[in-house]
Amino acid sequence: MISRFAIAFALFGCTLCQADDNGPLLAADGYCIVSTVDEQVWIKGEPGITSDYRGARFLFLNGDAKAAFEKRPEFYAPMLDGNDPVLAADNDKTVAGKREFAMRHKDRTFFFASKKAMMLFDASPEPYYAYAKQRQVIEDKLRALELKRGKSASAP
């Protein structure tokens, strides 16, 4: 069995929601992703304790959680910027995952748009993991090029 956790007690909502008209997207509905990964519990982050990563703003419970995230952001941040890897791989669609359908696999966080997508991933994770890993590398390179050209990474 793969090492994972599923979160089923959270409120419905998108993984990344617009923070404001000009700001970065709010990751994990404002919940502390470090508490989720390390303690397997969803706890609301503090608006004054933030870190921006991959065009998203992460909120944290405290300074220690922020420091842990900044030391290893790829360990905590959801793959594919929180989009569903199953829908991306199977249907070439970019669909925001939901916190209620969260899972860890190979020390990476994944969010899914539905329980069905999460179960498909869980039944056969390796092809989806490989796809997500490759696509995340491409997206990171594109974001770096956009930033180099002076364009916002979170701009549509």
Side-chain angles (χ1 to χ4, degrees):
M1 178 148 200
I2 62 174
S3 172
R4 68 168 179 91
F5 66 89
I7 314 295
F9 54 85
L11 300 171
F12 290 90
C14 65
T15 302
L16 298 177
C17 301
Q18 189 68 29
D20 62 40
D21 291 340
N22 298 316
L25 299 172
L26 184 61
D29 296 333
Y31 285 79
C32 177
I33 195 74
V34 173
S35 297
T36 303
V37 171
D38 291 351
E39 306 299 326
Q40 298 183 359
V41 62
W42 288 105
I43 301 172
K44 274 283 196 186
E46 295 294 327
I49 308 173
T50 67
S51 185
D52 293 348
Y53 180 70
R54 289 186 177 149
R57 176 156 294 151
F58 290 84
L59 277 59
F60 304 98
L61 182 62
N62 55 42
D64 290 341
K66 178 180 175 174
F69 179 85
E70 289 178 345
K71 184 176 181 182
R72 295 193 314 160
E74 69 287 341
F75 178 77
Y76 293 104
M79 289 286 287
L80 297 180
D81 301 331
N83 293 311
D84 188 317
V86 173
L87 294 176
D90 289 351
N91 302 316
D92 196 29
K93 290 185 177 180
T94 301
V95 178
K98 298 177 182 179
R99 288 185 305 103
E100 68 181 294
F101 306 119
M103 176 185 292
R104 292 281 292 174
H105 177 70
K106 290 191 176 183
D107 287 335
R108 298 306 305 263
T109 303
F110 293 88
F111 288 88
F112 303 90
S114 68
K115 184 175 182 179
K116 178 181 176 185
M118 185 174 74
M119 291 172 64
L120 284 169
F121 184 97
D122 193 28
S124 182
E126 291 312 311
Y128 296 117
Y129 175 79
Y131 176 87
K133 189 174 177 181
Q134 179 182 22
R135 186 162 166 182
Q136 187 68 66
V137 167
I138 292 167
E139 289 177 9
D140 288 347
K141 287 180 181 179
L142 288 172
R143 185 175 285 111
L145 288 172
E146 288 175 348
L147 288 173
K148 207 175 205 180
R149 289 187 359 213
K151 190 175 180 183
S152 172
S154 61

